[in-house]
Amino acid sequence: MLDLHDAIILACAKQGGALASLATEQTGLSRVAVSRRLKKLADAGYLQRHGAGTRQTYSQGNSRFWLGVLQRVDILNQGGEMAVWERHVAPLISDQKPNIKSLANTAFTEMLNNALDHSQAQQVAMGVHVHDGHLQMVVADDGVGIFGKITESAHLFDPRLAILELAKGKFTTAPEGHSGMGIFVSSRMMDGFAIESCGLRFDPHEINQPLPAFDWIDVAACLKPLEARTVLGMDIALNSTRTPNDVYLKYFEPNEVGSEAFHTTEIPVRLAQLSSELVSRSQAKWVMERATQFKTVILDFEGVVHVGQAFVDEVFRVFAVAHPHIQLKTTGMTPEVTQLVSLFGKC
């Protein structure tokens, strides 16, 4: 586990000179404590040793780490999300492939901007970790909590439905300044993506490849009160060949502008189950809420083991007949679900 003291020491290493003395001054730790941390960071690959004995010097290693805990108002007043990116994140990944830098730039700045604009937080914690072939990023805040805010804004009876609305895209609590594309797009640019807030978790990859806990950072030690915070984690393999255009061209229409260009959504149907199987018309209506904002709706049935007649009829007959211009597609169905959908409706 790395902390703010480690981040300060690594920042000192970039300045050259007597690292131990500078780090002791900057961290406020004892010389012995700094020496122990230098050894830990060098052994783990965050620093590279040169020389021996008392003449040892250090330079940046292959593994990279940055952690910052800043006042939200200070970030806003000092250049916003792009200033954080330019000062702290871009230098850490300057030697990575162009597509990785571009994907990380988009996802990190989008998610930090969301925290700045929506969270009503006092503090924002941000972390970046390059290690073992992966780039991982964290944006966390001590604000009102993303799912609670969506629940209130959309007048939902259960905060778990906030996750369903978030997963669809085009939902925002501030439509005058946001399009609701950021989380949808960023989650697909990354290999792993998860948001945790107030006991709830949104992970679009949770069925096949859930995002593991980041054991390099202790967000709980950075932000309080813990019960109100929102923690967002992102992961991408450094050998990924994905580009931002790969994502944009899959879900956006090049000849349109703004939210109208966002023409395709993927809806994880399992999120409408809450504590029950998908059997009711109400659940079907939760799934199809705001689906009319898109031209193509991909219904992802991964994780669904049973559907009922009323649910299928509401989606594949009632909705489909009422909105013939919307193309419905399905994916992730088990043989049983496929059979039931074929029995009760058309897809």
Side-chain angles (χ1 to χ4, degrees), residues 266-267 269 298-303 329-334 337:
E266 294 174 337
I267 302 177
V269 177
I298 302 171
L299 298 170
D300 183 358
F301 281 82
E302 197 76 44
K329 297 182 179 181
T330 61
T331 185
M333 285 185 176
T334 65
V337 171

Side-chain angles (χ1 to χ4, degrees), residues 164-172 179-185 188 248 250-253 256 258-268 286-299 319-320 322-329:
L164 176 61
E165 289 308 305
L166 192 64
K168 297 174 186 176
K170 283 196 181 182
F171 184 90
T172 177
S179 63
M181 300 179 194
I183 288 176
F184 186 94
V185 168
R188 284 150 179 83
Y248 291 135
K250 183 176 180 180
Y251 301 103
F252 290 76
E253 172 55 56
E256 298 286 353
S259 63
E260 293 300 317
F262 187 3
H263 63 77
T264 297
T265 186
E266 294 174 337
I267 302 177
W286 299 343
V287 170
M288 303 312 293
E289 179 72 20
R290 297 190 303 106
T292 53
Q293 297 178 6
F294 301 90
K295 296 178 181 179
T296 301
V297 175
I298 302 171
L299 298 170
F319 181 89
H323 307 284
H325 60 288
I326 298 176
Q327 184 178 19
L328 296 182
K329 297 182 179 181

Side-chain angles (χ1 to χ4, degrees), residues 273-291:
Q273 293 178 131
L274 300 187
S275 304
S276 309
E277 293 180 328
L278 293 176
V279 297
S280 73
R281 292 189 185 274
S282 291
Q283 290 167 304
K285 291 174 182 177
W286 299 343
V287 170
M288 303 312 293
E289 179 72 20
R290 297 190 303 106

Side-chain angles (χ1 to χ4, degrees), residues 19 27 38 56 60 88 92 102 106 113 132 138 159 191 194 212-214 235 245 247 291 299 314 321:
L19 176 55
T27 62
L38 287 174
Q56 279 188 345
Q60 183 173 258
H88 302 292
L92 284 186
S102 184
T106 300
N113 178 263
D132 196 25
V138 169
D191 295 327
F214 287 1
D235 174 278
N245 276 359
V247 178
L299 298 170
E314 186 68 31
V321 169

Side-chain angles (χ1 to χ4, degrees), residues 212-278:
F214 287 1
D215 59 4
W216 51 273
I217 186 172
D218 183 3
V219 176
C222 301
L223 295 175
K224 294 178 181 179
L226 302 183
E227 67 273 9
R229 72 172 191 260
T230 298
V231 181
L232 189 150
M234 297 172 278
D235 174 278
I236 187 168
L238 296 177
N239 62 2
S240 174
T241 59
R242 188 183 307 116
T243 68
N245 276 359
D246 292 336
V247 178
Y248 291 135
L249 293 177
K250 183 176 180 180
Y251 301 103
F252 290 76
E253 172 55 56
N255 297 322
E256 298 286 353
V257 178
S259 63
E260 293 300 317
F262 187 3
H263 63 77
T264 297
T265 186
E266 294 174 337
I267 302 177
V269 177
R270 68 182 180 277
L271 295 178
Q273 293 178 131
L274 300 187
S275 304
S276 309
E277 293 180 328
L278 293 176

Side-chain angles (χ1 to χ4, degrees), residues 27-252:
T27 62
L29 299 172
S30 70
R31 186 65 174 259
V32 172
V34 167
S35 296
R36 288 173 180 161
R37 286 177 180 261
L38 287 174
K39 183 179 185 305
K40 176 189 76 172
L41 293 169
D43 290 345
Y46 298 97
L47 291 173
Q48 186 174 358
R49 293 188 189 93
H50 307 280
T54 58
R55 295 182 178 274
Q56 279 188 345
T57 60
Y58 297 87
S59 61
Q60 183 173 258
N62 291 325
S63 295
R64 312 285 169 80
F65 168 70
W66 172 71
L67 173 63
V69 182
L70 303 175
Q71 294 292 314
R72 171 175 160 270
V73 66
D74 290 340
I75 300 174
L76 289 169
N77 290 336
Q78 296 172 16
E81 66 274 6
M82 282 309 301
V84 174
W85 171 264
E86 292 294 340
R87 291 172 185 156
H88 302 292
V89 186
L92 284 186
I93 62 172
S94 60
D95 55 351
Q96 299 301 329
K97 297 188 302 179
N99 68 306
I100 297 299
K101 291 189 285 187
S102 184
L103 291 165
N105 186 359
T106 300
F108 181 85
T109 55
E110 284 275 8
M111 296 305 95
L112 178 53
N113 178 263
N114 276 357
L116 297 176
D117 286 359
H118 299 301
S119 70
Q120 302 171 35
Q122 296 296 314
Q123 290 188 312
V124 179
M126 301 150 289
V128 178
H129 193 229
V130 180
H131 184 69
D132 196 25
H134 285 260
L135 166 62
Q136 296 183 328
M137 302 180 290
V138 169
V139 176
D141 66 73
D142 62 359
V144 295
I146 184 172
F147 302 131
K149 187 166 185 178
I150 292 173
T151 299
E152 181 180 355
S153 176
H155 308 292
L156 304 173
F157 83 95
D158 190 306
R160 288 175 292 179
L161 290 177
I163 303 175
L164 176 61
E165 289 308 305
L166 192 64
K168 297 174 186 176
K170 283 196 181 182
F171 184 90
T172 177
T173 58
E176 67 282 357
H178 289 262
S179 63
M181 300 179 194
I183 288 176
F184 186 94
V185 168
S186 297
S187 66
R188 284 150 179 83
M189 289 188 176
M190 299 289 102
D191 295 327
F193 184 99
I195 303 174
E196 296 186 53
S197 181
C198 303
L200 296 177
R201 177 183 173 93
F202 166 56
D203 183 342
H205 310 289
E206 66 180 349
I207 298 296
N208 298 315
Q209 193 175 358
L211 185 69
F214 287 1
D215 59 4
W216 51 273
I217 186 172
D218 183 3
V219 176
C222 301
L223 295 175
K224 294 178 181 179
L226 302 183
E227 67 273 9
R229 72 172 191 260
T230 298
V231 181
L232 189 150
M234 297 172 278
D235 174 278
I236 187 168
L238 296 177
N239 62 2
S240 174
T241 59
R242 188 183 307 116
T243 68
N245 276 359
D246 292 336
V247 178
Y248 291 135
L249 293 177
K250 183 176 180 180
Y251 301 103
F252 290 76

Side-chain angles (χ1 to χ4, degrees), residues 9 22 107 344:
I9 292 171
L22 182 59
F344 299 134

